[in-house]
Amino acid sequence: MNVGIVGLGLIGGSFAKAYSEKGHAVFATDIDRNILSFAAISGDICGELTKENIGQCDLVLICIYPEAAVSYMKEMAPFMGSRPVVIDCCGTKRKVFHSCLEIAREYGITYAGGHPMAGRQFSGYKYAKADLYHKAPMVIVPPDFGDIQLLGRIKTLLDPAGFGSISVTTAEKHDEMIAFTSQLAHVVSNAYVKSPRALSHSGFSAGSYKDMTRVAWLNPEMWAELFLENGDYLNEEIDFIIHSLEEYKKAIAEGDRSELIRLLREGKERKEEIDG
């Protein structure tokens, strides 16, 4: 198949490597011409994605920031035609999905929202991996939940990436859940590592510190845009964790051993419940 990739960062670059490795023709575009050239030299893409060839793609994956994704859709919509299935891979869905869907309907484009639930703490093409999506979940936000044919087509088109599962949901439910499962974790990790003691932790840290701080190493520009677009749901989660932390703080300050045990047991049991 012919695959178009918009943006050769970690997400787009990994898609390019995955599809190229499976023998598919990959065309890509990126604002950094050096990255585009390197991807071509590496054999991960066979050419540039342009107005002239985008309509010949079977699948187009838009892997850039949300605002940029909508702008790209507006610019390229007149050239896409009805052949490609266009999927944005942005980390928030409400604004991107509804804006892109409106454009898609105007131009007769087959479009769905998407979010590959995989990543690394590092960003950029040099960290892209062909197996990044192996066994990972993929979330799809379809324009019509009753369009089984389109969902089946999307599954087939995404098969070369190696996803372990495909979930279907609404843009609103996606953003509500992602505020908890991803965005809050990045906020907490980033705030946690700002402790003055972090500068002298060497020799005093093990797995828990590494687990807690891994995603503090993030892309500030991208995550700021995602946080602000999902500010309502994210602030709900931040309020909840602040309230929970206040309970722990109060029990410790008052020397209330039984209350602290209750709180710790409650969290342990919730984790056991979640993990089955």
Side-chain angles (χ1 to χ4, degrees), residues 103-196:
I103 297 167
R105 285 174 171 165
E106 180 181 353
Y107 288 92
I109 297 165
T110 303
Y111 162 78
H115 187 182
M117 301 304 299
R120 306 176 69 184
Q121 67 267 43
F122 306 113
S123 59
Y125 181 77
K126 67 178 179 178
Y127 297 107
K129 303 184 344 178
D131 64 352
L132 182 68
Y133 305 117
H134 284 193
K135 307 301 181 183
M138 176 66 169
V139 179
I140 294 294
V141 179
D144 180 1
F145 279 76
D147 193 343
I148 303 302
Q149 184 176 2
L150 174 59
L151 292 173
R153 186 179 170 195
I154 289 173
K155 183 180 183 302
T156 299
L157 290 169
L158 291 175
D159 273 348
F163 288 106
S165 65
I166 294 180
S167 302
V168 179
T169 188
T170 65
E172 289 71 21
K173 187 64 177 178
H174 168 276
D175 286 1
E176 179 183 10
M177 292 304 298
I178 218 70
F180 169 70
T181 62
S182 176
Q183 294 183 338
L184 179 65
H186 284 78
V187 169
V188 172
S189 179
N190 198 265
Y192 171 76
V193 81
K194 292 177 182 177
S195 167

Side-chain angles (χ1 to χ4, degrees), residues 200-221:
S200 55
H201 75 86
S202 182
F204 295 87
S205 60
S208 55
Y209 173 83
K210 292 178 181 178
D211 290 344
M212 188 71 177
T213 60
R214 182 181 66 83
V215 294
W217 199 329
L218 46 69
N219 180 330
E221 289 76 17

Side-chain angles (χ1 to χ4, degrees), residues 6-269:
V6 183
L8 286 175
L10 175 66
I11 300 302
S14 295
F15 272 124
K17 289 176 180 288
Y19 280 92
S20 179
E21 191 176 83
K22 294 293 177 64
H24 299 288
V26 178
F27 300 88
T29 184
D30 193 276
I31 56 174
D32 189 333
R33 303 293 301 182
N34 292 326
I35 295 295
L36 203 60
S37 297
F38 184 77
I41 293 170
S42 302
D44 295 330
I45 67 173
C46 57
E48 185 175 359
L49 184 65
T50 66
K51 294 176 180 178
E52 288 70 34
N53 62 21
I54 194 169
Q56 301 305 309
C57 291
D58 301 289
L59 173 67
V60 175
L61 297 167
I62 304 178
C63 307
I64 50 181
Y65 297 2
E67 289 184 8
V70 175
S71 296
Y72 182 85
M73 191 76 171
K74 286 179 181 177
E75 178 187 354
M76 298 299 285
F79 310 98
M80 289 178 175
S82 59
R83 175 174 169 174
V85 172
V86 180
I87 302 176
D88 85 84
C89 297
C90 299
T92 55
K93 290 270 73 79
R94 282 176 293 174
K95 181 178 179 180
V96 176
F97 175 76
H98 294 300
S99 297
C100 287
L101 182 59
E102 183 178 344
I103 297 167
R105 285 174 171 165
E106 180 181 353
Y107 288 92
I109 297 165
T110 303
Y111 162 78
H115 187 182
M117 301 304 299
R120 306 176 69 184
Q121 67 267 43
F122 306 113
S123 59
Y125 181 77
K126 67 178 179 178
Y127 297 107
K129 303 184 344 178
D131 64 352
L132 182 68
Y133 305 117
H134 284 193
K135 307 301 181 183
M138 176 66 169
V139 179
I140 294 294
V141 179
D144 180 1
F145 279 76
D147 193 343
I148 303 302
Q149 184 176 2
L150 174 59
L151 292 173
R153 186 179 170 195
I154 289 173
K155 183 180 183 302
T156 299
L157 290 169
L158 291 175
D159 273 348
F163 288 106
S165 65
I166 294 180
S167 302
V168 179
T169 188
T170 65
E172 289 71 21
K173 187 64 177 178
H174 168 276
D175 286 1
E176 179 183 10
M177 292 304 298
I178 218 70
F180 169 70
T181 62
S182 176
Q183 294 183 338
L184 179 65
H186 284 78
V187 169
V188 172
S189 179
N190 198 265
Y192 171 76
V193 81
K194 292 177 182 177
S195 167
R197 294 182 180 87
L199 298 174
S200 55
H201 75 86
S202 182
F204 295 87
S205 60
S208 55
Y209 173 83
K210 292 178 181 178
D211 290 344
M212 188 71 177
T213 60
R214 182 181 66 83
V215 294
W217 199 329
L218 46 69
N219 180 330
E221 289 76 17
M222 182 188 77
W223 283 100
E225 184 172 333
L226 295 174
F227 290 167
L228 291 174
E229 288 204 0
N230 207 31
D232 51 352
Y233 286 132
L234 179 54
N235 272 334
E236 285 182 10
E237 295 298 337
I238 292 174
D239 285 343
F240 183 83
I241 198 168
I242 288 174
H243 173 72
S244 294
L245 289 172
E246 288 290 350
E247 291 183 319
Y248 289 87
K249 180 181 178 180
K250 182 173 183 289
I252 293 168
E254 295 177 356
D256 192 338
R257 181 185 176 88
S258 61
E259 174 63 5
L260 187 56
I261 289 174
R262 184 192 70 80
L263 291 169
L264 293 170
R265 181 181 292 116
E266 185 178 64
K268 176 177 179 289
E269 290 174 350

